[in-house]
Amino acid sequence: MIPGIPGAEGRVGPKLVLGETGQTRLADPGYRGRAKSVHEYVIESILNPGVYVVPGYPDRTMPPWYGQKLSAAALDKIALYLESLGGTSLPPRP
Ligand code: HEM
């Protein structure tokens, strides 16, 4: 679900407000990924969803093949957008 986007109303995955939730993911002692920033975390979550499964959500549910469909530039734009959502500390970048 992405707040404010008509149709992006899925209930299977977490609400995509990484500006609000991203730091919590990175700080989770159970996080074993390689991301050093929320930006990297979003890209990692798309390329390899199983690296960190958000507590309370199912593993092996998020499609693993988006990395084969999206260019590096598209991944970068998606991450910039999602990391701007929900939080107050991170203003959207141009
Ligand atoms: C382009 C489309 C998608 C993007 C950009 C995307 C992005 C993400 C991101 C960034 C996370 C981590 C969220 C967090 O830490 O709060 C996530 C988790 C998740 N996504 Fe997606 N997602 C997409 C499509 C889907 C679809 C189609 C499904 C299932 C029908 C799905 C299911 C899930 C689930 C179950 C999780 C939580 C478990 C986990 O962390 O692997 N996603 N997704």
Side-chain angles (χ1 to χ4, degrees):
M1 184 203 298
I2 304 176
I5 302 294
E9 291 162 359
R11 295 288 185 281
V12 177
K15 203 167 138 191
L16 295 179
V17 285
L18 277 299
E20 189 177 313
T21 53
Q23 292 297 344
T24 311
R25 308 292 187 238
L26 293 173
D28 185 336
Y31 177 69
R32 298 278 180 273
R34 306 180 68 170
K36 298 282 179 250
S37 64
V38 174
H39 191 79
E40 289 176 4
Y41 170 74
V42 174
I43 293 176
E44 180 181 73
S45 297
I46 296 169
L47 294 181
N48 200 346
V51 164
Y52 174 76
V53 179
V54 180
Y57 290 90
D59 194 6
R60 301 178 182 279
T61 302
M62 166 127 178
W65 42 257
Y66 285 118
Q68 285 134 54
K69 302 283 183 185
L70 295 167
S71 66
L75 286 168
D76 195 53
K77 285 186 191 173
I78 291 171
L80 279 172
Y81 175 62
L82 293 180
E83 73 184 307
S84 80
L85 295 182
T88 47
S89 56
L90 187 71
R93 288 197 249 163

